[in-house]
Amino acid sequence: LPGVPLGAYIYGGVGCGKTMVMKVFHECAPVPPNKKLYIHFHRFMLSVHKRIEDARTRQPDLDPIAVVCEQMSAEAFLICFDEFQVTDVADALLMRSLFSRLWASGTVVVATSNREPRGLYHNGIQRQLFVPFIGLLEKQSQVIDMESAIDYRLAMLASTHAGGLFKHPVNPETKHQMDSLFRKMTKSSSENHERDVISVDLQIGAERSWRISRASANTAVARMSFSELCRDAHSAEDYIALASAFHTIFIDEVPCLDPDKHPDEMRRFINCIDALYESRVKVVVSAEAEIDHLILSEANPPLQANHGDLLGTGTFVVQSNDEGFAIDRAISRLKEMQSRAYLLRASLHSKADPNPISDLQGCARLTGADVDALWDRYDVDLSGELETEELRALLRDLGAGQLAPEQLQAASEALICATTNKIDKVSFVKYLTGHHLKLSLIHI
């Protein structure tokens, strides 16, 4: 349409910065907040299929795709898609009709992907019917190649990696560690632990539910075996619902996975990690091997050509290199999920416990229980130590604004344990108990 700007299609390898660039663009785009949408492509297509079914029911005499596009165009002028990929035949056949209507209505589309446009739905079933969409996409978008030999996500983690929430190998010691962390996260004592762990039915859409056998009665924390999570038949929609319901998920006994021998488990594991990462869920894992050796993709022959259904809908297409990209992305994201930077963002999950700071700032004298609550909030990697990033987050939330290096240094020196030369819980509780929180840390 005249006056409507081109969109953008940004592609490149894992960790090259595509998502970061698009998020910055989305935040800065001169469009009213209620008229721009940032969404993972999985979630978008799930919502499209639901809307189409609803339109068929409510307005059977009208074209359901036209009805849905009219709704979406009214809701958003700008739509930003993360991880744009097409692996499901039903989605592939829908794309041209869906997006041609969105573009005709003046909607601007920006997307990130691992593949260039011409590589989308490579070798897919009835791909000849999908190919015209590629021409439309290239006509409506500025295509930008962000290929890089560096995974910046992993490079960034060099100084912030915690790693304490990924336990390996699976043995009695790591099981004991998982049990201890689960008791801590569920806020239950050893005596009351069994009573504080309940089963819940997680609602999936309008007609299905998923029984979660171990969930906390006190907070939004769940614990599941790999078998429950990935050997049982679950779709991307299931994992998205799981990620929305719980701020922390414990995953027990993740095996080493060979994509050729365990294609369904591999696909579900990728979908699960994607959903948990996108929703900033804290993940505590016990596994047979460290992250780099968990997926045996490089040690095996090329992947078989019968398991390309990354969306988890049960409709398979011929496998292409999309699955290789997805495996690399899952490993990269799983590593990032161990970093303190990620864990601090995870503490803002919609189901996370309220930050105690707002209630405690007005207290003239903090009690031991008050300080315990603060510690639990900011020791995000459960290491038993408060690292620089965690202390900085605490001071920022106290209203310290842009911290001068000397402020951070002074707070660190006040809290540090002389014996261990670290900020541990004992020194933290000892320093703050009986004092005013902000005066103790900001005005040292």
Side-chain angles (χ1 to χ4, degrees):
L1 291 177
V4 177
L6 284 177
Y9 183 93
I10 308 166
Y11 73 97
V14 171
C16 71
K18 308 181 296 293
T19 297
M20 182 194 72
V21 167
M22 189 171 68
K23 284 183 176 178
V24 171
F25 168 76
H26 175 263
E27 290 173 6
C28 298
V31 178
N34 64 337
K35 289 296 182 181
K36 54 184 176 181
L37 173 67
Y38 177 93
I39 188 169
H40 193 280
F41 192 66
H42 280 190
R43 292 177 185 256
F44 176 76
M45 291 309 297
L46 286 170
S47 71
V48 166
H49 287 296
K50 286 179 180 177
R51 286 184 180 221
I52 288 175
E53 287 303 313
D54 185 60
R56 285 193 178 117
T57 302
R58 293 174 179 271
Q59 299 170 287
D61 297 332
L62 300 179
D63 178 350
I65 298 176
V67 171
V68 170
C69 288
E70 184 177 352
Q71 293 170 352
M72 290 182 166
S73 297
E75 292 167 2
F77 168 74
L78 170 66
I79 304 179
C80 296
F81 295 116
D82 197 19
E83 302 295 346
F84 190 98
Q85 61 179 354
V86 184
T87 58
D88 178 88
V89 63
D91 289 343
L93 299 179
L94 177 63
M95 298 290 281
R96 183 183 181 185
S97 178
L98 176 70
F99 279 88
S100 62
R101 283 178 167 86
L102 288 174
W103 283 318
S105 68
T107 303
V108 177
V109 173
V110 177
T112 68
S113 179
N114 290 318
R115 302 186 70 83
E116 63 179 328
R118 296 276 164 181
L120 288 170
Y121 197 48
H122 181 64
N123 288 336
I125 295 172
Q126 295 183 298
R127 188 173 188 266
Q128 72 278 8
L129 301 178
F130 174 79
V131 168
F133 165 75
I134 296 175
L136 286 173
L137 177 63
E138 291 177 328
K139 182 179 179 181
Q140 295 288 338
S141 309
Q142 180 179 356
V143 178
I144 302 167
D145 182 356
M146 282 191 62
E147 191 59 64
S148 170
I150 300 172
D151 184 339
Y152 289 101
R153 185 186 290 128
L154 299 187
M156 180 185 68
L157 300 185
S159 62
T160 67
H161 189 259
L165 304 186
F166 190 94
K167 312 291 183 183
H168 70 89
V170 175
N171 58 29
E173 180 183 353
T174 54
K175 183 181 184 305
H176 174 73
Q177 292 171 353
M178 292 286 284
D179 290 343
S180 297
L181 289 176
F182 188 56
R183 277 196 299 273
K184 176 181 174 65
M185 290 297 295
T186 54
K187 301 182 178 180
S188 62
S189 61
S190 299
E191 312 84 66
N192 298 326
H193 182 59
E194 292 303 318
R195 187 185 65 192
D196 290 337
V197 176
I198 60 174
S199 63
V200 298
D201 289 321
L202 178 63
Q203 196 65 34
I204 312 292
E207 300 179 352
R208 292 191 299 119
S209 64
W210 181 2
R211 172 59 62 92
I212 308 299
S213 60
R214 289 177 293 174
S216 171
N218 304 317
T219 185
V221 176
R223 185 172 185 177
M224 309 180 73
S225 68
F226 176 84
S227 181
E228 291 174 295
L229 201 61
C230 299
R231 289 198 174 109
D232 293 345
H234 293 295
S235 69
E237 183 180 18
D238 296 354
Y239 298 125
I240 290 170
L242 185 73
S244 298
F246 298 99
H247 64 74
T248 301
I249 302 286
F250 283 69
I251 308 175
D252 287 304
E253 301 183 0
V254 178
C256 293
L257 291 168
D258 183 334
D260 285 325
K261 295 178 181 178
H262 313 105
D264 291 332
E265 294 170 19
M266 182 76 259
R267 168 177 51 82
R268 294 179 190 127
F269 185 67
I270 290 170
N271 284 339
C272 180
I273 294 301
D274 280 346
L276 299 179
Y277 177 89
E278 291 294 332
S279 292
R280 296 293 186 256
V281 175
K282 180 183 290 188
V283 177
V284 187
V285 180
S286 69
E288 286 186 358
E290 59 185 296
I291 295 175
D292 280 329
H293 298 131
L294 199 58
I295 298 176
L296 307 174
S297 56
E298 294 183 357
N300 291 285
L303 299 173
Q304 296 173 2
N306 66 343
H307 50 87
D309 175 32
L310 303 186
L311 292 182
T313 59
T315 306
F316 291 90
V317 299
V318 178
Q319 195 276 331
S320 70
N321 202 37
D322 280 334
E323 191 158 284
F325 282 127
I327 289 171
D328 289 344
R329 184 180 69 244
I331 291 296
S332 181
R333 286 181 163 182
L334 198 51
K335 288 182 177 180
E336 184 183 351
M337 292 164 88
Q338 303 301 306
S339 72
R340 282 180 287 274
Y342 174 89
L343 294 169
L344 284 166
R345 293 195 298 273
S347 67
L348 303 177
H349 189 283
S350 62
K351 297 294 184 180
D353 298 329
N355 192 328
I357 274 190
S358 56
D359 293 331
L360 297 181
Q361 289 205 60
C363 296
R365 296 171 64 86
L366 297 177
T367 66
D370 293 336
V371 183
D372 280 345
L374 273 176
W375 179 268
D376 290 342
R377 175 72 178 194
Y378 290 96
D379 179 26
V380 292
D381 59 0
L382 307 180
S383 67
E385 300 171 11
L386 213 62
E387 307 290 346
T388 300
E389 303 99 300
E390 295 164 326
L391 177 59
R392 183 182 288 113
L394 169 58
L395 296 176
R396 182 196 63 228
D397 291 348
L398 274 172
Q402 194 69 28
L403 283 172
E406 54 270 21
Q407 284 179 291
L408 188 63
Q409 182 66 25
S412 178
E413 290 175 354
L415 292 167
I416 209 162
C417 174
T419 304
T420 63
N421 204 34
K422 297 175 180 177
I423 304 175
D424 58 26
K425 187 172 182 178
V426 173
S427 63
F428 186 83
V429 172
K430 182 179 179 180
Y431 180 78
L432 288 176
T433 300
H435 296 88
H436 186 281
L437 176 57
K438 192 166 185 176
L439 292 177
S440 298
L441 289 178
I442 301 299
H443 304 295
I444 297 174

